[in-house]
Amino acid sequence: MASVGDIARAIVVIAAGVSSADDQKMLYEARDSLFKLQDENRELREKADELSIKLRRREELKRDGSSYYLVEDDGSRFGPICPSCYEDSGIVISLARGNGEARCSVCGKKYSGVVGSVPGRQTHIG
């Protein structure tokens, strides 16, 4: 399969041999359209990769009450994770715990009643 660059070079060579200005213009417009399609294809592949990562991350996260936890390969849990950041953006932010509540350092939302993950036992915040 020819690359986009190979096709664009072939268009330039063909356009150089064409005597009609209208035909040359049409070939150069086809080349420009080819480059736009290449950019669109790259952007779509990037979005597909992002969605794939979000789907994989969704499988790694488990909900326990009002809290999300990242489940590691060994079955241990990491978190709690900010549900707002996760649901809005798909990003995993560990909640800071203290003073009877949990708070997200990114969005600033505060949560009470969040189950904290402490090695060997669970603690309840709030």
Side-chain angles (χ1 to χ4, degrees):
M1 180 175 191
S3 71
V4 170
D6 293 339
I7 295 169
R9 283 188 285 281
I11 290 173
V12 170
V13 169
I14 293 168
V18 173
S19 58
S20 165
D22 288 339
D23 290 343
Q24 283 184 340
K25 181 181 175 190
M26 186 174 61
L27 285 168
Y28 285 121
E29 287 173 355
R31 181 196 62 180
D32 292 343
S33 294
L34 178 68
F35 285 133
K36 287 179 185 176
L37 286 172
Q38 180 184 22
D39 289 341
E40 182 180 339
N41 185 28
R42 180 185 42 77
E43 290 171 8
L44 289 172
R45 287 179 186 269
E46 288 173 359
K47 286 181 182 179
D49 289 344
E50 288 173 16
L51 289 173
S52 177
I53 289 169
K54 284 184 179 181
L55 281 173
R56 188 177 32 214
R57 181 69 73 177
R58 184 171 295 267
E59 292 170 1
E60 295 170 349
L61 286 175
K62 300 297 179 213
R63 190 172 188 127
D64 183 358
S66 62
S67 304
Y68 283 106
Y69 294 87
L70 180 63
V71 179
E72 304 291 345
D73 291 337
D74 65 359
S76 64
R77 297 188 324 172
F78 171 78
I81 303 299
C82 177
S84 293
C85 288
Y86 174 68
E87 289 172 359
D88 293 345
S89 307
I91 60 173
V92 175
I93 304 295
S94 180
L95 294 174
R97 298 180 299 266
N99 297 329
E101 66 183 9
R103 187 181 67 79
C104 178
S105 62
V106 174
C107 71
K109 291 189 179 177
K110 296 179 181 178
Y111 301 93
S112 61
V114 174
V115 178
S117 60
V118 175
R121 65 186 178 102
Q122 291 184 356
T123 58
H124 194 274
I125 299 171

